[in-house]
Amino acid sequence: MTIASLGESEASGLVSAQKLTDGIHLVVDALKLNEIDSIYGVVGIPITDLARLAQASGIRFIGFRHESAAGHAAAAAGFLTKKPGICLTVSAPGFLNGLVALANATVNCFPMVQISGSSERHLVDLQRGDYEEMDQLAAARQFAKAAYRVQRAEDIGRGVARAIRTAVSGRPGGVYLDIPAAVLGEVIDAELGAASLWRVVDPAPRQVPEPAALDRAIELLASARRPLVVLGKGAAYAQADDQIRRFVELTGLPYLPMSMAKGLLPDDHPQSVASARSLALRRADVVMLVGARLNWLLGHGDAPQWNADARFIQVDIASTELDSNQPIAAPLVGDVGSVMQALIDRTGPGRIVVPAQWRDELAARSAENVGKMAKRLQAAETAHPMKFLGALQAIRDVLRENPRTYLVNEGANALDLARNTIGMPVPRHRLDSGTWGVMGIGLGYAIAAAVETGDPVVAIEGDSAFGFSGMEMETICRYNLPVVTVVLNNSGVYRGDEGSSSGDPAPTALSARHDLMIAAFGGRGYRATTPTEVAVALREALALGRPALIDCVIDPADGTESGNISHLNPKGITVQR
Ligand code: ADP
Ligand code: TPW
């Protein structure tokens, strides 16, 4: 029996009487010393006592049904708080389940630490066939920003500090921390143990570019005829909302928010050109990227989607990101908050002026596109069976009454259409499939948003997307979290009307009554077949502040293959349908 398997008061008594501690106590003490207040995970050998002790010591432990969802929750907690979210997993299979989320966090630049128990080194390394045998450190390395293993209890404090520092400093990402069972159970002198722990000072130091780099960027913006600012989720993560807003408003620059940067300035801000996105990208001659990468989501900055002569300014904490796709004429390596403040300080009034012709061109296209969208929305309002846009308008209207609600969003059509229909009034309140376009983040992200903030959460899910983490509905109910899951149920991946040439359902077909599922866990289920029913159910569910799920019955024929990224499907010989 380890010290941690005793009750907390008994354990403290033993620890003080014998002046001993063990690996499990040291992990918890190290996390507490670094102000970690929640852990997301799934228990089992060898980490069950660690979860118990963490909980007994005042850290909130949220027990999941699958490590992938627990890991996604930790990643979202990292994004929302700027502290690494902690995911706790068991050896081999539990570790691997969590690894998807660790890799996804790294790709999204969210700080997260996956702490995993592991099996006996002397058995694993000789491949003698241990319980849950796996060389986890080697496996994690290629999917994480860094991977470390603690081999002695006296190194636990160092391991935790190193993991925290690596996760949050520079470009944030996922860090793996391997702690073998033997180290968790290792008993050492309590004073030595306490002295081996430390608190990380200034975990993500600020970084400002030199004045010449700032002036180069200002010069470029001042010379632009058609300037554009693109705000990405790195800008949202930076929690530099005030500096970003002041810079954008001081200069009058048109800006485009990437999906998770929505709300940094309210979506109805007059300088937002979200409704004229294609034109803005195609015509801009100077583009300032702020915490946004020129990856596939921005067409790699290539023509014809972009102006072939566009010149780029890039604000990013990671210097190696620059020049990854296009030449960066004015690099600004630093944290968004410091860089934007320095730009404000060095940009005199009237230094940057946006030509009226460009503003007018963007405004005209915005008005045109808003008009087109209004027609689509109007047509969807009364359509029966209900369309995606019918349900989404109803959700949009209810969310306007509840502006502090967090919005989680995944799916294909469910993602594209919700992003375009639902405006965000406040920063960091939209969490979605992100850089990989991954399915399965939904309920984990929703749980983290509720746990970390206490605010209500609405998760808008495609019916396929929902299934990836659907069992976490039980987690939401068990912890009685204020999460309302809205499933846009068109009975399929992308669409639900595909016929099959065999006796089996089509590869894209799905069939479920999700409202009945939540009832099994004690939550409130609703089934909505019209936009009015969606609005009534959502209003009621948000007012109750309890777990709820609204299964929205959507026309199986609504939706397009792969949503707006259909062009990424390989085009060979047409598959017979
Ligand atoms: P989006 O998908 O919204 O366009 P990306 O995830 O592609 O955004 O880009 C985020 C970028 O932000 C990354 O290149 C990352 O290095 C950068 N970043 C993250 N945190 C900060 C920060 N505090 N300051 C500056 N850049 C940051
Ligand atoms: C981990 C591939 C992309 S989008 C999607 C899948 C399976 C689901 C689309 O159907 P859904 O939405 O959710 O019903 P809608 O509104 O279009 O009907 N596995 C992982 N990630 C991805 N991205 C996939 C598979 C995929």
Side-chain angles (χ1 to χ4, degrees), residues 388 411-414 437-439 462-465 468 490 492-495:
F388 279 104
N413 297 280
V438 70
M439 299 299 113
D463 51 332
S464 164
F468 286 74
N490 66 346
V493 178
Y494 315 134
R495 292 167 70 107

Side-chain angles (χ1 to χ4, degrees), residues 380-411:
E381 226 165 15
T382 49
H384 200 78
M386 183 161 56
K387 304 283 185 201
F388 279 104
L389 285 178
L392 285 167
Q393 283 180 89
I395 299 167
R396 176 199 64 194
D397 294 345
V398 178
L399 289 180
R400 276 190 187 141
E401 299 158 15
N402 300 271
R404 291 219 53 84
T405 306
Y406 281 82
L407 182 64
V408 173
N409 192 195
E410 62 176 336

Side-chain angles (χ1 to χ4, degrees), residues 109 171 232-234 237-238 258 291-293 295 316-317 334-336 435:
C109 314
R171 170 182 277 176
K233 59 180 169 304
Y237 172 78
M258 299 300 284
R293 285 171 283 187
N295 57 15
D316 206 293
I317 196 80
D335 65 282
V336 168
T435 303

Side-chain angles (χ1 to χ4, degrees), residues 299-471:
H300 306 285
D302 287 335
Q305 194 180 345
W306 292 79
N307 173 359
D309 300 323
R311 284 175 300 163
F312 292 92
I313 301 164
Q314 187 156 21
V315 181
D316 206 293
I317 196 80
S319 56
T320 51
E321 180 57 37
L322 280 56
D323 298 289
S324 55
N325 279 287
Q326 299 294 332
I328 301 302
L332 289 172
V333 177
D335 65 282
V336 168
S338 302
V339 175
M340 299 318 270
Q341 185 59 54
L343 287 171
I344 293 167
D345 295 344
R346 295 184 79 82
T347 309
R351 179 84 177 88
I352 295 169
V353 179
V354 181
Q357 204 183 340
W358 178 227
R359 280 190 275 124
D360 293 348
E361 194 180 337
L362 290 165
R365 180 58 63 88
S366 280
E368 194 184 313
N369 287 345
V370 167
K372 278 187 203 157
M373 186 65 176
K375 283 202 186 110
R376 281 181 73 195
L377 289 170
Q378 202 179 9
E381 226 165 15
T382 49
H384 200 78
M386 183 161 56
K387 304 283 185 201
F388 279 104
L389 285 178
L392 285 167
Q393 283 180 89
I395 299 167
R396 176 199 64 194
D397 294 345
V398 178
L399 289 180
R400 276 190 187 141
E401 299 158 15
N402 300 271
R404 291 219 53 84
T405 306
Y406 281 82
L407 182 64
V408 173
N409 192 195
E410 62 176 336
N413 297 280
L415 179 76
D416 299 336
L417 296 169
R419 183 180 54 234
N420 295 340
T421 311
I422 299 176
M424 300 306 299
V426 281
R428 278 176 306 287
H429 274 56
R430 188 187 153 85
L431 297 148
D432 66 27
S433 298
T435 303
W436 259 353
V438 70
M439 299 299 113
I441 48 93
L443 301 198
Y445 279 13
I447 290 168
V451 166
E452 299 294 329
T453 72
D455 285 336
V457 183
V458 169
I460 302 179
E461 303 274 311
D463 51 332
S464 164
F466 170 78
F468 286 74
S469 64
M471 193 61 195

Side-chain angles (χ1 to χ4, degrees), residues 109-191:
C109 314
F110 297 166
M112 163 183 173
V113 177
Q114 180 179 350
I115 300 178
S116 189
S118 59
S119 302
E120 301 300 338
R121 299 265 14 113
H122 63 279
L123 299 174
V124 172
D125 290 347
L126 280 172
Q127 298 187 12
R128 292 177 58 195
D130 196 13
Y131 168 71
E132 298 192 343
E133 175 181 294
M134 170 173 271
D135 187 355
Q136 296 171 195
L137 186 67
R141 212 159 246 145
Q142 55 198 314
F143 301 109
K145 183 177 176 185
Y148 307 118
R149 180 189 293 136
V150 174
Q151 298 270 26
R152 309 177 299 178
E154 68 194 76
D155 286 332
I156 285 174
R158 179 173 285 111
V160 168
R162 192 140 171 64
I164 290 174
R165 168 74 70 189
T166 305
V168 292
S169 62
R171 170 182 277 176
V175 174
Y176 176 62
L177 185 61
D178 190 283
I179 314 186
V183 179
L184 289 170
E186 189 184 335
V187 175
I188 64 168
D189 178 83
E191 259 180 53

Side-chain angles (χ1 to χ4, degrees), residues 14-280:
L14 187 65
V15 167
S16 58
Q18 302 189 348
K19 289 202 167 49
L20 290 176
T21 189
D22 65 9
I24 287 176
H25 278 85
L26 289 169
V27 174
V28 172
D29 291 348
L31 292 173
K32 286 196 70 170
L33 191 60
N34 283 284
E35 290 174 5
I36 298 297
D37 38 32
S38 44
I39 296 178
Y40 302 88
V42 178
V43 297
I45 296 171
I47 48 114
T48 315
D49 278 345
L50 173 44
R52 288 195 183 108
L53 185 72
Q55 189 176 57
S57 309
I59 294 179
R60 195 150 187 219
F61 181 83
I62 307 293
F64 279 68
R65 305 301 291 253
H66 192 280
E67 293 86 353
S68 195
H72 289 313
F79 170 72
L80 291 171
T81 64
K82 287 183 104 174
K83 289 195 291 189
I86 307 291
C87 173
L88 187 61
T89 56
V90 303
S91 326
F95 153 79
L96 279 176
N97 283 343
L99 205 50
V100 170
L102 192 73
N104 188 54
T106 306
V107 166
N108 278 322
C109 314
F110 297 166
M112 163 183 173
V113 177
Q114 180 179 350
I115 300 178
S116 189
S118 59
S119 302
E120 301 300 338
R121 299 265 14 113
H122 63 279
L123 299 174
V124 172
D125 290 347
L126 280 172
Q127 298 187 12
R128 292 177 58 195
D130 196 13
Y131 168 71
E132 298 192 343
E133 175 181 294
M134 170 173 271
D135 187 355
Q136 296 171 195
L137 186 67
R141 212 159 246 145
Q142 55 198 314
F143 301 109
K145 183 177 176 185
Y148 307 118
R149 180 189 293 136
V150 174
Q151 298 270 26
R152 309 177 299 178
E154 68 194 76
D155 286 332
I156 285 174
R158 179 173 285 111
V160 168
R162 192 140 171 64
I164 290 174
R165 168 74 70 189
T166 305
V168 292
S169 62
R171 170 182 277 176
V175 174
Y176 176 62
L177 185 61
D178 190 283
I179 314 186
V183 179
L184 289 170
E186 189 184 335
V187 175
I188 64 168
D189 178 83
E191 259 180 53
L192 263 180
S196 71
L197 308 181
W198 72 82
R199 185 190 164 95
V200 178
V201 176
D202 191 11
R206 290 189 165 270
Q207 200 180 319
V208 210
E210 56 175 352
L214 294 159
D215 290 343
R216 191 189 293 126
I218 293 168
E219 189 69 28
L220 200 51
L221 281 171
S223 70
R225 282 181 302 145
R226 295 182 303 280
L228 176 69
V229 173
V230 178
L231 301 174
K233 59 180 169 304
Y237 172 78
Q239 299 194 10
D241 313 338
D242 187 46
Q243 289 94 328
I244 292 169
R245 186 179 186 131
R246 280 194 292 131
F247 177 77
V248 169
E249 291 184 343
L250 168 79
T251 57
L253 289 164
Y255 76 92
L256 189 67
M258 299 300 284
S259 68
M260 281 182 61
K262 278 162 70 78
L264 267 172
L265 291 97
D267 269 341
D268 56 5
H269 194 282
Q271 286 167 248
S272 168
V273 293
S275 311
R277 187 178 195 272
S278 312
L279 177 86

